Each structure stands twice: as structure tokens, then as C-alpha cells.
């Protein structure tokens, strides 16, 4: 409402972004964060352009510029794939291969560039899909707890069967 009205009125220095995804009750992150989540019913969660790719998260960056002054974004990289849509005007993008990262002035020392292009920095390692060591440990713990529950159920069933076979009930 108010942001759209100010943007429509020509105010050039407004910027809207959604980044931090809310956590789901069962763990993991939601696909959308506010205010984008309010548009969920109007957005294709798998745009035809994406083919068989499944989005991990959907984010929105919305901005406007005074055409005389223009705007710039500092050199940066995103951890997720992007689909850039320009609604009006023009934009010049400079793209560099992830393999160029070790030769650039990055914030942090490049530790590894995964084959899929994900960049890791010293002190912030992730798997190629972005999982941290903590994420992997949590997943292994959940898997181990499920296996333990299945084993406990199987043990109870076996003990009950052994008692019945022995005539004890």
C-alpha cells in the first residue's frame, strides 16, 4: 500500500527486499517471506521458464531510480540462482564466473568454489547445496532418532512375541 503509493508518486530512493525466510514448524525454511508471501496465490511457484528446477526460496528486490542519476550495486555474489526481470528501462549487468573469485578482492578468503559455482569462504564452509555442517548434523540426528524409534518398536514386538511363544502372555 504505502510503499507502492510512494513509488508510484515518483519517489526514487525506495527499495524493498525480502530476504530472511521464516522457519517452518517441522524445521527448514519457508519458500516465501513477507511481503512476497502475501502474493503467494498470484505467483507461479515454479515459473515455466525454470523448467524442471525447483526453487529453494523466492525473494523480491523492488527498486526505482531517477533515470538521470541511475543506481549501482556493488560487486557481490548471491548464493542462490537468480531470475532477473526488468520491468522498464535498462540495466547493465557484469557477470563473472565463480572460478574468478580467488582473483577478486572478496570480503573474506575464498576457501573453495564448488563445481556448481557456490563459493565458500574460510570460516563459513557449506556443502555445494548450501547446507552448513550444523544443518547436516541436525539432519543426521533426526534420522538417527527415527531409526531408534523404529528399532524400539521392533524390539517391543519381538519381546512380546517371545513372551507369547514362551507361554508367558
Amino acid at each position: 500500500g504505502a510503499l507502492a503509493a510512494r513509488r508510484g508518486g515518483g519517489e526514487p530512493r525506495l527499495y524493498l527486499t525480502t530476504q530472511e525466510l521464516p522457519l517452518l514448524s517441522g524445521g527448514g525454511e519457508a519458500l516465501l517471506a513477507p511481503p512476497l508471501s502475501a502474493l503467494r496465490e498470484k505467483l507461479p511457484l515454479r515459473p515455466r521458464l525454470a523448467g524442471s528446477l525447483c526453487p529453494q526460496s523466492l525473494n523480491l528486490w523492488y527498486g526505482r531510480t531517477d533515470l538521470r542519476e541511475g543506481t549501482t550495486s556493488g560487486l557481490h555474489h548471491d548464493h542462490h540462482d537468480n531470475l532477473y526481470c526488468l520491468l522498464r528501462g535498462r540495466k547493465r549487468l557484469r557477470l563473472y564466473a565463480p572460478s574468478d573469485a580467488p582473483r577478486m578482492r572478496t570480503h573474506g578468503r575464498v576457501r573453495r568454489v564448488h563445481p556448481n559455482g557456490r563459493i565458500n569462504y574460510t570460516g563459513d564452509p557449506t556443502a555445494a547445496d548450501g547446507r552448513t555442517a550444523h544443518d547436516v548434523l541436525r539432519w543426521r540426528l533426526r534420522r538417527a532418532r527415527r531409526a531408534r524409534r523404529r528399532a524400539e518398536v521392533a524390539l517391543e514386538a519381538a519381546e512380546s512375541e517371545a513372551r507369547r511363544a514362551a507361554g508367558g502372555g
Side-chain angles (χ1 to χ4, degrees), residues 127-139:
D129 64 2
R131 288 175 297 143
T132 65
H134 186 257
D135 294 333
V136 172
L137 289 174
R138 279 194 332 233
W139 175 78

Side-chain angles (χ1 to χ4, degrees), residues 116-130:
N116 68 354
R118 182 164 184 105
I119 300 169
N120 284 157
Y121 295 94
T122 299
D124 190 25
T126 65
D129 64 2

Side-chain angles (χ1 to χ4, degrees), residues 63-146:
R64 184 176 187 276
T65 184
D66 180 318
L67 295 177
R68 293 176 305 261
E69 294 180 29
T71 60
T72 61
S73 299
L75 181 62
H76 70 281
H77 69 88
D78 296 326
H79 287 290
H80 299 290
D81 296 329
N82 285 272
L83 173 62
Y84 192 91
C85 300
L86 184 64
L87 300 180
R88 185 175 11 178
R90 62 186 183 183
K91 173 92 174 182
R92 182 171 56 181
L93 300 169
R94 286 193 183 146
L95 302 177
Y96 298 92
S99 59
D100 290 334
R103 293 181 294 282
M104 296 181 150
R105 292 183 184 149
T106 59
H107 289 283
R109 196 168 127 242
V110 174
R111 179 177 169 264
R112 177 178 184 191
V113 178
H114 289 279
N116 68 354
R118 182 164 184 105
I119 300 169
N120 284 157
Y121 295 94
T122 299
D124 190 25
T126 65
D129 64 2
R131 288 175 297 143
T132 65
H134 186 257
D135 294 333
V136 172
L137 289 174
R138 279 194 332 233
W139 175 78
R140 287 180 180 161
L141 181 60
R142 283 194 307 267
R143 188 174 66 172
R145 285 179 176 155
R146 284 193 302 269

Side-chain angles (χ1 to χ4, degrees), residues 34-50:
L36 193 57
S37 55
L39 301 173
R40 182 183 172 119
E41 301 303 319
K42 297 179 183 187
L43 292 173
L45 297 182
R46 288 182 70 180
R48 277 186 268 150
L49 182 63

